[in-house]
Amino acid sequence: MRKKETISSLQGAKGKRKLTMITAYDALFASLFAEEADMILVGDSLNMSFGGKADTLSVTLEQMIYHTGAVCNGAPQTFVVCDMPFGSTNSEEEALANATRVFQQTPADAVKIEGGAERADIVRRLVHNGIAVMGHVGLLPQSVRGEGGYRVKGRDEKSFQKVLEDAAAIEDAGAFSIVIEGVTPELGALVTQELSIPVIGIGAGAQTDGQVLVWSDMLGFFEAFKPKFVKQYLNGARLVKEAVSQYAEEVRQGIFPAEEHCYR
Ligand code: KIV
């Protein structure tokens, strides 16, 4: 069994080995990912791929706590990060109370907070109170309605500078690591070079310190759409449909259950 990562081992990896993070929402899949993933993220993306919703905004803190507990049960030897849901970190007080609940009610190792410089004081407050925080800058899925869509950052000078400033502010506030999403590869590379903490990319090019993907995207289970940055390592949906179709056919034809499935 591999040794569990810690904040210092993750930070020590910068420039030496690439870090892998994958999302999981339940104990079963978390246990399947545990051997290879340095970190598991209980992402609020579960609201879409697990909950069938159009975006991440309606997931609740209670739901995130439930799924984080399940993931920690399935992968007790893996560093687990719980995504703080939309609306749960609007003020320092609220963020501290809600992140404290995550730490009290689950064994998660860290929380993740979406947002840039405007969130730096909130991150600082949590870190000062013993809560490890992973930042999340660039394209912010929780801002999809506020920005009128998923907007890639770094294609223009203004958003390029803003993401650079955001990343620096979140590092300065004490985040142990940062996710950078939906930016040009040049911006992903520059943020990785400027920061001394690990920068984990998703749709941010190949030069970041590590990568994160949503499990149902990378294993081909989520069929609604496939973002450009996703590589499918499995056609999960096809395999599941074929297996279920075979099961249904065998039940209809009386092939299943066979003798070996019967009690004597
Ligand atoms: O919710 C999530 O899965 C995430 C990743 C996209 C980084 O935040």
Side-chain angles (χ1 to χ4, degrees), residues 111-125:
V111 299
K112 177 165 81 59
I113 295 185
E114 276 188 29
E118 67 287 349
R119 291 275 155 124
D121 287 342
I122 290 170
V123 171
R124 188 170 285 109
R125 181 78 179 274

Side-chain angles (χ1 to χ4, degrees), residues 108-186:
D109 299 284
V111 299
K112 177 165 81 59
I113 295 185
E114 276 188 29
E118 67 287 349
R119 291 275 155 124
D121 287 342
I122 290 170
V123 171
R124 188 170 285 109
R125 181 78 179 274
L126 265 54
V127 173
H128 281 169
N129 282 280
I131 295 169
V133 179
M134 172 176 264
H136 184 152
V137 301
L139 183 157
L140 304 176
Q142 291 178 4
S143 300
V144 60
R145 297 191 208 164
E147 294 189 3
Y150 295 104
R151 305 276 174 238
V152 171
K153 302 291 178 342
R155 287 177 171 153
D156 58 280
E157 187 54 26
K158 193 167 162 218
S159 72
F160 192 99
Q161 285 308 326
K162 164 99 172 78
V163 173
L164 267 182
E165 285 161 23
D166 284 346
I170 296 300
E171 171 171 49
D172 187 58
F176 76 96
S177 172
I178 201 164
V179 164
I180 185 164
E181 177 168 2
V183 302
T184 59
E186 293 73 22

Side-chain angles (χ1 to χ4, degrees), residues 21 23 25 41-46 56 83 112 114 136 141 179 181 202 212-214 229:
M21 182 158 85
T23 68
Y25 314 131
L41 170 66
V42 188
D44 59 2
S45 52
L46 71 82
T56 61
D83 226 351
K112 177 165 81 59
E114 276 188 29
H136 184 152
V179 164
E181 177 168 2
I202 175 164
V212 54
L213 280 176
V214 171
F229 57 80

Side-chain angles (χ1 to χ4, degrees), residues 33-45:
F33 305 152
E35 200 51 39
E36 291 296 336
D38 296 311
M39 290 181 272
I40 291 182
L41 170 66
V42 188
D44 59 2
S45 52

Side-chain angles (χ1 to χ4, degrees), residues 164-229:
L164 267 182
E165 285 161 23
D166 284 346
I170 296 300
E171 171 171 49
D172 187 58
F176 76 96
S177 172
I178 201 164
V179 164
I180 185 164
E181 177 168 2
V183 302
T184 59
E186 293 73 22
L187 181 51
L190 188 57
V191 169
T192 304
Q193 189 187 309
E194 297 281 304
L195 265 51
S196 57
I197 55 175
V199 175
I200 311 297
I202 175 164
Q207 302 305 315
T208 54
D209 297 309
Q211 298 289 329
V212 54
L213 280 176
V214 171
W215 80 268
S216 44
D217 290 340
M218 65 165 285
L219 298 182
F221 284 95
F222 187 65
E223 291 186 296
F225 60 90
K226 183 176 98 56
K228 182 177 170 62
F229 57 80

Side-chain angles (χ1 to χ4, degrees), residues 44 56-61 64 83-96 98-99 112-114 119 122 142-143:
D44 59 2
T56 61
L57 275 60
S58 54
V59 72
T60 64
L61 184 66
M64 293 306 301
D83 226 351
M84 294 303 289
F86 177 72
S88 68
T89 57
N90 286 345
S91 68
E92 288 181 41
E93 294 309 320
E94 209 179 356
L96 183 57
N98 288 331
K112 177 165 81 59
I113 295 185
E114 276 188 29
R119 291 275 155 124
I122 290 170
Q142 291 178 4
S143 300

